[in-house]
Every structure is written in C-alpha cells, then in structure tokens.
Amino acid sequence: MAVGKEIRTKIASIKNTQKITRAMEMVAASKMRKTKDRMQATRPYSIKIGKIIKHLAQANPEYKHPYLIVRDVKRVGIILVSSDRGLCGGLNSNLFRKTLSQLIEWDKANVAVDVCTIGSKASGFFSNLKVNLVGQVSKLGDAPRLQDIAGVIKIMLDAYEAGSIDELYVVSNEFVNTMTQRPIIEQLLPVVACELDETLNGHWDYIYEPDAKDVLDHLLNRFIESKVYQGLVENNACEQSARMVAMKSASDNAGNLISELQLIYNKARQAAITQEISEIVAGAAAV
Amino acid sequence: MTMTVHVDIVSAEKEIFSGLAEMIFAPGELGELGISPRHAPLITKLNPGEVRVKVSENESYAFYISGGILEVQPHLVTILADTAIRAKDIDEALALDSKAKAEDALADKSGKIDYATAQAELAQAVMQLRTLDRLRKRGG
C-alpha cells in the first residue's frame, strides 16, 4: 500500500537517530562517573598547596615574589578551557558568552587581552574573533595529564614575568551537579591573599632549602598549574554530564516525535482504507 | 609509644598516601632528608627519587616521585609530588609547541618526539628502575 511511505521512512530515520543519541547518553553517563572521580582526586593537591601558600604568607619570607604583587592593569591574559567535542548542550556556548561579555568589558576599559585556549572548541571560537591568540592545546582526551597543559601555562607565566600581562584569569565550567554547570572566571595572578590560619601564630619562618626565592618560585608555579589543571578536569566532568543530559533530552524528543508521526500515519492509513471501502460499496450499489 | 607525625603525599592527579608515620625519608635537593616528628618548619624542593614512609618498626612504604615540594610543620608533613619529570627545557619545549599550535590553530600537526623529552623520559625510567631494584632487594 502506497499510503504514508514518506511518514514511514521518516519514522525509521528518527528511530535510527534515537539509537545513536541513546548510545551516546549511556557512554557519557559512564564517562561522567570516571571524570567525576578524577575531579575529586585532584582536590587534595589543591587543598594542600593552598594551605602551604597560606602558611608561607604567614611566615616572614624576606623575599617578595612578583606573583604576589598587584600591578596596574594594561593587559590581561586568559586561559580558556573548553571541551574538544560538541553535542553537549549549551556548555561551550554559555562559556563563550560569558567570556565575550568580559572581553567587551575589558575592551571598554582599554585593557588588551592575550588568550590561550585549551580544547578545540575554544580555538575554533577564537579563530573567528580578532583576539591575540598566543597559545593553544587540544585533543587531551578524558584523562589529561598535567604536562599536557604545562606549555600554555608557561607562555602565560613568562608573559606575566616579562610584564607584558598584568593579570591572569582562567575561564572554565564549574561542576555544580549533574544538571547544572556554571561558567566561571577565576583570577590566578596576582595570587589573591587568603585569610590567615589562627593555629600558627607568632614569629616564625621556614628553613628554606635551597633558598626562599627558589622554593617560592617553584611552589607558586605549581599552584597556578594545579588551578588550571583542576579547571580542566572539572570542565571534563561538566562536558560529560552536559552531554548526558543533552542526549537524554534528545532521545526523549525523538520518542515524542515518533509517537506523533505514528499517530498521523495510522490516521492516514485508516482514512485510505475507509475511502477504499466506500468506493467499493458505491461501485457495488451502482451495478 | 613512639612519636608519630601526620604525613600527606599528594600529586596533582591523585592522593598517594595519608596517615601517621614515625619517620619520613625524602630526596631533598640539597641531599637526602630524614624527617622525624617535631622537626622544625622546613620547605624544600625534592629531586626525583624514592620517598620512604616508616609507619612502624617493621612496616614502611616506598613511593617513587619525579620531584616536588616537601613542607614540614612540627606535626604535619606534606609532600606535593610531581607526576612527571619537569625539567626547564621540557617546559620550554612544551611552551614552544603550544605556541606553534596557536599560530597554526586550524592545521593538525603531528607531534614529534624531541631530544629533551626523550632524555627526560629515560632519566625517569632509570630512576623508577632503581627504586624497584631497591624495593626488590629489601623484600627478598
């Protein structure tokens, strides 16, 4: 029967799409668990290093590190963390929208911007814009290593030390829960002074080996790296959960569409049958 | 009852060890360090090598680290371990690499193993082997 052939092919194609989105949803769900674990695994390091920096701020180092000194802002650097792949709802576009509004604000204040991007979506986004892209790294996979992003961080730190940028920010998604991800812009440099720990009062200082400058240099470098790394790992968890949610709603939508089309198809089929019968009856009556 | 001190060993990617210990041995940059409880506050960089945590008279753990930072407070020892060898020239190479990628953001460049990376990887492998060897000797 020739009735509703278009509708049937349409239904078949939507069913195929639904199979794909459902598979992607399940893959994202299992990856999300792993990336969330990874995100939690990075927490102890950043907590510890934060504590040591707090201790250092309380000790009395005779040497003031440039990362701790606030300067007039003429040029800022941002490290933008995005995902490598799409199909994850509004995750990246929300991030880029937030970045853009911040860029416009800086533009109004006559502050120039240098950008480093992590993830191919961000570099794709910025290659269409007229910004100064100084570093880029992508295709890090689900288990990124710290040394993968050390390059872009070094570019920014060198620029900061050379005085060509006066502030450094990292832009990434914060994992609130599976349903919610929030784009945030966090200041890395100069390191914001943190509140003091009451348990360590009095006049004291560390024994520095080999010397304060060396150790502080190293420590602050690692601090910045761990911050960016955490942003990256957190963004990964966001990506997977956003994808899971997006794919789930896509599968649901496909299901709705199929049932609607099925209804239309059934009605058309029934109408065709009714018409045929009435034609036969009318023909018989005429004889 | 012997005195103990709380030890945390963490790397950027995961937590490695957390617990009480009688003594900690670490490869400091200016020489091997042994930290007992109530050591004076100290902060130092670590060389690649083996960190040993003596939990009790006949129980100790050993970890291989590729460098890092050791912080000592009288009742708390923290080791921030690096997960990979991070020599200055490698960082430089990484920086140059991502710069090159930025200049040519759309073209896909295949990575080449350069001399500095290979050398550092070799050094790391040698250190890991040495740690393993020592562990084996102690075990057997």
Side-chain angles (χ1 to χ4, degrees):
Chain A
M1 202 167 54
V3 172
K5 187 159 190 320
E6 298 92 341
I7 301 183
R8 260 183 296 154
T9 43
K10 190 86 195 161
I11 290 177
S13 92
I14 294 177
K15 270 189 182 154
N16 283 336
T17 312
Q18 194 188 25
K19 272 181 207 156
I20 296 171
T21 54
R22 194 165 284 156
M24 280 182 80
E25 179 195 336
M26 285 190 278
V27 170
S30 90
K31 277 191 180 171
M32 182 187 78
R33 221 165 344 135
K34 276 183 223 154
T35 48
K36 251 166 93 180
D37 288 347
R38 212 166 279 129
M39 179 179 86
Q40 260 135 24
T42 61
R43 289 241 164 98
Y45 187 88
S46 51
I47 292 170
K48 290 288 175 237
I49 202 162
K51 245 184 210 163
I52 294 184
I53 289 198
K54 216 189 261 182
H55 288 173
L56 269 174
Q58 255 176 314
N60 307 288
E62 61 278 28
Y63 161 73
K64 192 92 174 143
H65 198 275
Y67 289 0
L68 304 168
I69 297 167
V70 179
R71 301 194 290 230
D72 280 348
V73 182
K74 286 193 262 346
R75 193 177 192 93
V76 297
I78 60 174
I79 298 177
L80 183 70
V81 183
S82 77
S83 70
D84 271 334
R85 300 207 184 117
L87 289 180
C88 46
L91 186 78
N92 286 319
S93 38
N94 285 344
L95 188 72
F96 296 154
R97 197 175 315 129
K98 176 132 185 166
T99 316
L100 264 185
S101 61
Q102 186 66 49
L103 286 179
I104 290 166
E105 240 168 72
W106 274 323
D107 197 43
K108 273 185 198 151
N110 262 334
V111 174
V113 182
D114 280 349
V115 184
C116 269
T117 61
I118 298 174
S120 32
K121 286 285 159 193
S123 55
F125 175 73
F126 276 116
S127 61
N128 297 328
L129 284 173
K130 277 190 184 127
V131 291
N132 191 11
L133 192 64
V134 293
Q136 190 252 335
V137 63
S138 60
K139 301 200 177 63
L140 300 178
D142 293 322
R145 291 166 310 162
L146 190 62
Q147 62 260 44
D148 294 335
I149 56 168
V152 287
I153 298 171
K154 177 135 176 77
I155 292 175
M156 281 306 184
L157 292 183
D158 284 351
Y160 186 85
E161 267 167 47
S164 56
I165 59 172
D166 306 302
E167 273 179 353
L168 178 62
Y169 294 86
V170 63
V171 185
S172 67
N173 281 294
E174 183 191 15
F175 187 92
V176 182
N177 56 40
T178 314
M179 302 300 289
T180 328
Q181 297 87 29
R182 194 186 309 138
I184 47 164
I185 299 177
E186 196 179 355
Q187 182 177 343
L188 293 180
L189 286 176
V191 175
V192 194
C194 32
E195 74 277 22
L196 301 180
D197 189 348
E198 295 301 323
T199 55
L200 292 165
N201 282 325
H203 187 91
W204 64 280
D205 201 356
Y206 284 112
I207 304 166
Y208 295 96
E209 272 181 32
D211 58 51
K213 181 183 176 303
D214 236 31
V215 173
L216 258 175
D217 247 6
H218 193 77
L219 192 67
L220 286 168
N221 266 320
R222 288 289 178 276
F223 179 66
I224 304 296
E225 277 171 10
S226 87
K227 280 270 186 195
V228 178
Y229 182 73
Q230 217 195 349
L232 173 62
V233 177
E234 199 153 328
N235 197 69
N236 266 346
C238 287
E239 181 195 346
Q240 297 303 342
S241 61
R243 178 166 300 131
M244 188 186 81
V245 172
M247 288 300 120
K248 186 170 168 42
S249 73
S251 309
D252 292 350
N253 285 344
N256 289 342
L257 214 55
I258 288 171
S259 57
E260 265 169 42
L261 283 175
Q262 191 74 49
L263 199 65
I264 294 173
Y265 170 73
N266 287 347
K267 273 184 185 159
R269 185 170 162 269
Q270 204 170 10
I273 292 171
T274 312
Q275 194 190 354
E276 225 168 288
I277 290 175
S278 60
E279 271 165 17
I280 291 169
V281 171
V287 170
Chain B
M1 176 84 196
T2 41
M3 272 200 299
T4 53
V5 56
H6 193 89
V7 187
D8 285 314
I9 304 179
V10 290
S11 79
E13 282 150 35
K14 62 174 182 286
E15 184 164 41
I16 297 169
F17 177 88
S18 177
L20 293 172
E22 283 181 8
M23 188 124 177
I24 302 101
F25 303 94
E29 211 177 50
L30 298 183
E32 195 80 10
L33 289 162
I35 311 285
S36 300
R38 295 213 191 157
H39 191 286
L42 164 83
I43 190 160
T44 180
K45 293 206 284 187
L46 297 177
N47 279 340
E50 181 196 40
V51 172
R52 209 144 53 78
V53 181
K54 190 173 150 204
V55 176
S56 66
E57 204 47 62
N58 38 26
E59 195 187 1
S60 70
Y61 300 99
F63 307 95
Y64 166 76
I65 62 161
S66 347
I69 298 163
L70 169 79
E71 189 225 15
V72 181
Q73 291 283 344
H75 299 286
L76 178 71
V77 176
T78 312
I79 294 176
L80 302 169
D82 295 343
T83 38
I85 297 266
R86 297 282 303 279
K88 231 188 182 127
D89 46 342
I90 300 181
D91 278 13
E92 206 73 60
L94 284 169
L96 286 177
D97 190 41
S98 51
K99 226 177 244 174
K101 271 190 194 151
E103 279 157 14
D104 176 318
L106 296 175
D108 192 0
K109 274 188 185 168
S110 58
K112 278 181 276 176
I113 301 170
D114 59 307
Y115 183 68
T117 324
Q119 197 176 31
E121 272 171 9
L122 184 68
Q124 188 176 15
V126 168
M127 274 317 298
Q128 271 164 343
L129 281 176
R130 197 174 295 166
T131 310
L132 275 177
D133 197 38
R134 252 197 278 175
L135 281 176
R136 200 177 300 140
K137 262 182 207 152
R138 206 173 297 143

